[in-house]
């Protein structure tokens, strides 16, 4: 027996663990008994409070969607929470990241209260972005008006990352979409997930992050797309994955009390005041909100992308190419993670040779929260500059949010000082806003969602904000006379020139150089 014990001790742990995971049958349960549901037609929700407020406006603008940009983080939070409070028929909610922090807990309590009023809640979450949420979601899923599904879920729950050992090919594909739709009358899409750092980042104006609120035909498009994801073979009922809550007192009642206590906590006071002070819902209901009316094309990856069953023509990147007219004058592009690849560099070179101005804003190393992404992007800076692209890197934004918020710094998402908006304008005529980053992961691995908005008013808003803000909040990257990179920081009365990545130490720069040598670009 001692000999056997000693032999076992000599066996490497990870191969044994991986084998045990495979042999234990870590397979997803069958989907045969999954209930079916669809979004309510807009004609059925016209008599809701939201429907009565919105229908006269949409009837007056047939074929067009009403759009409001939401660059301010507090407005973006208030809009979501107040729409959930106003809903009477349904809330369809789809997110990549949802954290059990202040804003995440407040939003969960808002959904719970809506369910208590009889509103049907469908909550679709990517399973990679809900760390620490299993018990909460298991309890919420007990509510008769709340159904939760997990997209491309992990079977091993703790620690989740063990799943990558046996199923990396599947689990490397994630749902990056973000939307909240109330009564199929109003929707919010864009770059923000549900977590404190997305609703508390100060400074950076339009570029810290960006969502759009929409009414009209674009809402119906989002609802149909939500139905497609909800019914996909990658969406699993949370009960099948998370199991039942621990036995004991009513888990739903305990959760409701916990959420209520959280709502009244000191940490929630800033957001509670935001809701109290917001005039958003009142203005919406009495028709005082000012919308920009425009044709809107929704672009979205087929959820089958994560199963490897869709062709290139179904990719959002291809839909974007079809939806955009050939640029004639300019492209202004904002992307926190920007890895153009050789093909992207060649495209920009061709555009510049045709006399089309290309301007790009992305994160600097000091602001980027994913060093590996920056390492891959850094290889393309010189080729981009030689091609004629005007390149800017956002400086680390000051965190001016009130201290009582105790905001997190973004282990899985953005830091409060990062650029996170995903948007671009073409010729001052067309604006894109969505979840799509210009990197290989958004193109090939993650599913994405966005709006192509044919609105000179909104496109020129982006260009104007770029002109006004970028010089004061970003470094311009240029080539020096020696062909090496320089970073220009324009201060009030002078321009400071850096010969290496500003705001970083040698250790971080060495780490980025190391990552740039690794063949990992296709995974980023």
């Amino acid at each position: 027996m001692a000999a056997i014990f000693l032999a076992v001790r000599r066996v490497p742990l990870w191969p044994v663990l991986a084998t045990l995971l495979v042999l234990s049958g870590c397979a997803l349960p069958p989907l045969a008994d999954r209930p079916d549901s669809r979004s309510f037609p807009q004609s059925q929700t016209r008599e809701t409070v939201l429907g009565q407020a919105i229908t006269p406006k949409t009837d007056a603008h047939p074929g067009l969607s009403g759009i409001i940009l939401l660059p301010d983080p507090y407005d973006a939070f208030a809009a979501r929470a107040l729409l959930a409070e106003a809903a009477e028929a349904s809330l369809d909610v789809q997110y990549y990241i949802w954290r059990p922090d202040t804003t995440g807990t407040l939003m969960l309590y808002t959904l719970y209260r809506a369910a208590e009023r009889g509103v049907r809640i469908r909550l679709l979450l990517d399973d990679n972005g809900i760390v620490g949420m299993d018990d909460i979601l298991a309890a919420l899923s007990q509510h008769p008006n709340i159904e939760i599904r997990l997209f491309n879920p992990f079977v091993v729950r703790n620690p989740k990352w063990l799943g990558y050992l046996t199923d990396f090919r599947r689990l490397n594909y994630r749902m990056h979409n973000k939307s909240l739709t109330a009564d199929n009358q109003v929707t919010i899409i864009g770059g923000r997930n549900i977590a404190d750092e997305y609703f508390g980042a100060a400074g950076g104006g339009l570029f810290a992050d960006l969502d759009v609120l929409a009414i009209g035909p674009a809402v119906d498009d989002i609802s149909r797309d939500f139905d497609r994801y909800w019914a996909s073979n990658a969406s699993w009922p949370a009960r099948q994955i998370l199991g039942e809550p621990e036995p004991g007192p009513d888990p739903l009642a305990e959760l409701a009390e916990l959420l209520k206590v959280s709502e009244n906590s000191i940490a929630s006071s800033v957001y509670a005041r935001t809701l109290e002070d917001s005039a958003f819902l009142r203005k919406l209901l009495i028709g005082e909100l000012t919308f920009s009316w425009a044709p809107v094309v929704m672009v979205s990856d087929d959820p089958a992308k994560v199963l490897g069953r869709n062709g290139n023509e179904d990719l959002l990147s291809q839909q974007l190419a079809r939806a955009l007219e050939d640029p004639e004058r300019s492209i202004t592009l904002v992307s926190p993670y920007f890895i153009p690849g050789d093909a992207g560099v060649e495209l920009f070179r061709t555009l510049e040779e045709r006399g089309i101005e290309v301007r790009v804003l992305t994160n600097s190393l000091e602001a980027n929260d994913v060093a590996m992404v920056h390492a891959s992007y850094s290889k393309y800076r010189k080729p981009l500059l030689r091609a004629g692209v005007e390149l800017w890197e956002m400086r680390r934004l000051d965190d001016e949010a009130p201290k009582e918020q105790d905001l997190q710094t973004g282990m899985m998402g953005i830091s409060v000082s990062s650029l996170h908006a995903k948007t671009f304008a073409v010729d001052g005529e067309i604006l894109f806003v969505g979840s799509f980053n210009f990197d290989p992961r958004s193109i090939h691995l993650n599913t994405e969602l966005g709006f192509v908005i044919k609105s000179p008013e909104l496109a020129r808003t982006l260009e104007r904000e770029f002109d006004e803000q970028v010089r004061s909040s970003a470094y311009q990257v240029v080539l020096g006379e020696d062909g090496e990179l320089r970073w220009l920081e324009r201060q009030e009365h002078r321009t400071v020139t850096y010969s290496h990545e500003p705001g970083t130490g040698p250790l971080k720069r060495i780490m980025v150089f190391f990552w740039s040598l690794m063949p990992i670009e296709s995974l980023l």
Side-chain angles (χ1 to χ4, degrees):
M1 180 64 70
I4 295 175
F5 177 70
L6 290 173
V8 169
R9 289 184 63 185
R10 295 190 188 102
V11 176
L13 176 61
W14 289 112
V16 173
L17 180 58
T19 302
L20 289 175
L21 286 172
V22 174
L23 295 178
S24 65
C26 291
L28 290 166
L31 284 173
D33 298 328
R34 183 180 62 177
D36 185 31
S37 63
R38 301 191 66 81
S39 58
F40 297 131
Q42 287 185 335
S43 59
Q44 187 176 331
T45 59
R46 287 172 66 98
E47 298 307 315
T48 63
V49 170
L50 291 174
Q52 291 181 44
I54 290 164
T55 298
K57 288 184 173 293
T58 55
D59 286 349
H61 299 86
L64 303 180
S65 295
I67 299 293
I68 294 176
L69 298 182
L70 296 173
D72 181 84
Y74 297 109
D75 288 345
F77 173 77
R80 286 168 169 85
L82 293 172
L83 282 180
E85 292 285 2
E88 295 181 346
S90 64
L91 285 165
D92 289 338
V93 185
Q94 178 181 20
Y95 281 97
Y96 172 57
I97 291 174
W98 194 306
R99 295 197 185 130
D101 53 18
T102 300
T103 54
T105 302
L106 287 173
M107 284 301 302
L108 284 178
Y109 192 45
T110 301
L111 296 183
Y112 171 79
R113 286 201 304 262
E116 287 286 275
R117 300 194 308 269
V119 178
R120 185 192 70 180
I121 311 295
R122 295 191 297 175
L123 180 57
L124 177 59
L125 300 173
D126 187 274
D127 195 31
N128 196 53
I130 55 169
V131 175
M133 294 278 287
D134 281 13
D135 292 342
I136 297 173
L137 296 176
L140 274 178
S141 66
Q142 302 300 305
H143 197 289
N145 291 328
I146 299 176
E147 186 177 356
I148 302 172
R149 293 188 181 177
L150 303 180
F151 193 85
N152 205 16
F154 293 71
V155 178
V156 178
R157 304 308 299 173
N158 188 22
K160 273 187 181 181
W161 58 265
L162 288 179
Y164 284 113
L165 296 178
T166 58
D167 207 0
F168 179 80
R169 183 180 179 87
R170 175 179 69 86
L171 294 175
N172 192 38
Y173 290 81
R174 307 313 317 172
M175 181 190 74
H176 199 230
N177 311 39
K178 305 159 179 68
S179 70
L180 182 149
T181 305
D183 291 347
N184 198 13
Q185 293 290 334
V186 191
T187 194
I188 297 174
I189 75 157
R192 290 183 176 93
N193 293 293
I194 305 298
D196 285 352
E197 59 264 36
Y198 298 92
F199 297 113
L206 192 69
F207 302 127
D209 216 330
L210 182 63
D211 297 318
V212 295
L213 180 146
I215 61 176
V219 183
D220 226 10
D221 292 339
I222 291 294
S223 290
R224 283 194 295 270
D225 195 61
F226 182 93
D227 286 344
R228 181 170 65 153
Y229 274 79
W230 188 254
S232 80
N233 288 333
S235 297
W236 299 79
R239 288 190 178 194
Q240 289 185 268
I241 303 299
L242 305 179
E244 299 297 323
E246 292 294 327
D250 182 358
L252 196 56
E254 288 190 343
L255 178 61
E257 183 61 29
L258 173 64
L259 296 176
K260 186 175 181 179
V261 169
S262 297
E263 184 190 40
N264 295 326
S265 70
I266 295 176
S268 301
S269 61
V270 170
Y271 297 101
R273 287 200 304 271
T274 297
L275 298 181
E276 292 172 0
D277 296 341
S278 175
F280 162 78
L281 185 60
R282 179 184 60 81
K283 287 184 176 181
L284 175 65
L285 296 181
I286 65 176
E288 288 188 355
L289 281 184
T290 301
F291 290 89
S292 297
W293 295 92
V296 174
V297 176
M298 184 203 73
V299 289
S300 171
D301 280 308
D302 190 319
K305 182 179 183 179
V306 305
L307 305 173
R309 297 176 185 171
N310 65 325
N312 286 336
E313 68 279 358
D314 298 319
L315 295 176
L316 179 142
S317 56
Q318 298 301 312
Q319 297 172 44
L320 269 178
R322 293 193 295 267
L324 294 171
E325 302 169 3
D326 285 337
E328 296 179 355
R329 298 186 303 277
S330 65
I331 295 177
T332 301
L333 188 155
V334 179
S335 181
Y337 306 135
F338 179 62
I339 306 176
D342 293 334
V345 172
E346 188 57 37
L347 170 63
F348 291 139
R349 177 181 290 109
T350 301
L351 292 172
E352 288 283 351
E353 289 173 352
R354 288 170 46 195
I356 298 168
E357 180 187 37
V358 180
R359 302 186 296 175
V360 175
L361 173 66
T362 189
N363 273 315
S364 64
L365 177 56
E366 70 175 356
N368 200 321
D369 58 347
V370 185
M372 288 185 291
V373 169
H374 191 86
S376 289
Y377 149 72
S378 66
K379 296 184 293 187
Y380 295 102
R381 283 188 292 211
K382 287 184 179 179
L384 286 167
L385 293 170
R386 293 183 186 123
V389 173
E390 185 179 311
L391 187 58
W392 299 82
E393 294 180 357
M394 182 68 81
R395 303 204 300 265
R396 182 175 178 85
L397 305 176
D398 291 333
D399 180 14
E400 299 172 356
K403 292 182 179 179
E404 64 184 298
Q405 292 180 69
D406 191 26
L407 298 175
Q408 297 180 17
T409 57
M411 297 185 330
M412 293 172 52
I414 63 168
S415 126
V416 294
S417 58
S418 286
L419 166 74
H420 196 247
K422 306 153 181 44
T423 182
F424 64 83
V426 177
D427 292 340
E429 300 287 334
I430 298 174
L431 178 71
F432 169 81
V433 179
S435 66
F436 180 80
N437 290 303
F438 284 78
D439 63 7
R441 174 161 287 278
S442 280
I443 294 172
H444 300 296
L445 298 175
N446 290 345
T447 67
E448 307 287 354
L449 172 68
F451 282 155
V452 177
I453 307 166
K454 299 183 178 181
S455 168
E457 175 190 0
L458 297 180
R460 289 168 190 167
T461 295
L462 173 65
E463 292 183 338
R464 183 174 61 253
E465 292 290 328
F466 193 101
D467 292 336
E468 293 176 357
Q469 293 186 28
V470 73
R471 292 181 181 275
S472 62
S473 59
Y475 306 107
Q476 184 175 10
V477 187
V478 299
L479 288 175
E481 293 182 358
D482 58 357
E484 295 303 313
L485 294 174
R486 300 288 187 272
W487 287 261
L488 308 182
E489 180 183 357
R490 289 178 171 82
Q491 299 178 356
E492 187 174 356
H493 300 296
R494 63 173 184 156
T495 297
V496 179
T497 301
Y498 301 91
S499 59
H500 57 70
E501 306 265 12
T504 64
L507 183 60
K508 189 170 188 177
R509 296 196 295 272
I510 290 171
M511 179 181 66
V512 167
F513 174 74
F514 169 77
W515 283 116
S516 71
L517 302 177
M518 305 295 288
I520 57 175
E521 185 171 309
S522 63
L523 301 177
L524 300 175

